[in-house]
Amino acid sequence: MKEFKVVPCQGRVVAKTGVEASKQISALASIVTQESIGGWELISAMPIVVASSKKRFRGTETPYNALVFAREVIKEEDAKK
């Protein structure tokens, strides 16, 4: 049996230079590395837009990515075998 977790991360990188963009993309890799602790494996990344609306005003939309991780759950019965 598997269990899943979803971790939000930024969906847009804004950079003035290629070096700056590279550093920000590397920061995304560190999120995956950190979340992989404990046997979690990245299985999917889905773009999600979070919209907020204000009365009578145009709302704002912020892009995110939902990183989906999974890991095997070891049942107590299986651990005894």
Side-chain angles (χ1 to χ4, degrees):
M1 180 178 182
K2 289 190 178 194
E3 66 178 322
F4 299 90
K5 73 175 178 178
V6 177
V7 178
C9 76
Q10 66 190 41
R12 179 180 296 156
V13 173
V14 178
K16 293 182 181 180
T17 66
V19 172
E20 187 178 338
S22 179
K23 286 180 183 178
Q24 290 188 23
I25 291 169
S26 293
L28 295 176
S30 69
I31 292 171
V32 174
T33 301
Q34 182 177 346
E35 294 299 331
S36 295
I37 295 171
W40 293 98
E41 180 181 351
L42 178 65
I43 60 169
S44 181
M46 299 180 295
I48 295 177
V49 176
V50 177
S52 64
S53 61
K54 298 181 181 180
K55 295 179 183 177
R56 299 186 196 178
F57 296 104
R58 185 179 180 134
T60 59
E61 292 185 347
T62 306
Y64 286 94
N65 284 309
L67 303 179
V68 182
F69 292 84
R71 70 176 174 183
E72 283 293 327
V73 175
I74 298 173
K75 294 181 182 178
E76 200 171 304
E77 303 158 358
D78 295 337
K80 293 179 182 178
K81 292 181 181 180

